[in-house]
Structures are given as C-alpha cells and as structure tokens.
Amino acid sequence: MRSACELPGSRVYIFSLWATIVVLSGLAASAGAAFLGGASPQVVAAVSAVAAGALLTMVVNTMVPEAVEGEQKLAGLLVVIGLLVAFALSNVGET
C-alpha cells in the first residue's frame, strides 16, 4: 500500500513531479547549449520551430477542449487570431 506522500494529488507527490520536470528541463537546456552552441541560424530556426510546435500542441490539447465546450463555432477562429496577433507583436519594430 502507498503512503500518503505517494498518492497522486498529495503535496509531496506534486512537488516531486515539478522538481523532476525542472531538473530534466535544465539538463535538456544544458545539452542543447552544449551541442548546438555553434550551430548555424538555419539549424537554430528548425529547432525553435519544432519546440514552438510542441508547445502549441500542448496548449491546444489542454485548452481548446475547454474553449470548444463553451463556444464551439468561434474557438478555432479565435485561436488563429490569437496566434496571428502574437506573431505580429513579436515582430513589431523588426524591419
């Protein structure tokens, strides 16, 4: 039988999960910096595009079902508009 600290939802369990995520993310970032530190801009752009796609997939999988539940017809359009606004804001002043 599991102790109370190992049950999903307990503070220790949740803290342990987040601590593991932090450590693994730090190791992945260190490895990326070590292996891709001198990479060409094209390689960095490709890696960034894959990372952005992974983040977008995670956000869409988490948030879109909740959005579609409330507003089914406009959810997709609002996601596209949000992405276009974010893209435009990230490029303001770069010409």
Side-chain angles (χ1 to χ4, degrees):
M1 182 180 247
R2 293 182 178 180
S3 69
C5 295
E6 296 174 355
L7 294 175
S10 73
R11 289 182 183 186
V12 172
Y13 180 81
I14 293 170
F15 182 76
S16 299
L17 286 177
W18 279 107
T20 302
I21 290 169
V22 167
V23 169
L24 291 176
S25 296
L27 291 173
S30 297
F35 292 123
L36 298 173
S40 69
Q42 292 84 5
V43 171
V44 173
V47 171
S48 295
V50 170
L55 286 174
L56 181 59
T57 300
M58 183 178 63
V59 169
V60 167
N61 284 340
T62 303
M63 297 180 74
V64 168
E66 294 176 11
V68 170
E69 184 178 308
E71 185 60 52
Q72 293 181 356
K73 294 182 181 178
L74 292 178
L77 179 62
L78 293 175
V79 168
V80 171
I81 290 171
L83 291 172
L84 291 174
V85 169
F87 177 74
L89 289 176
S90 69
N91 290 312
V92 169
E94 294 182 17
T95 325

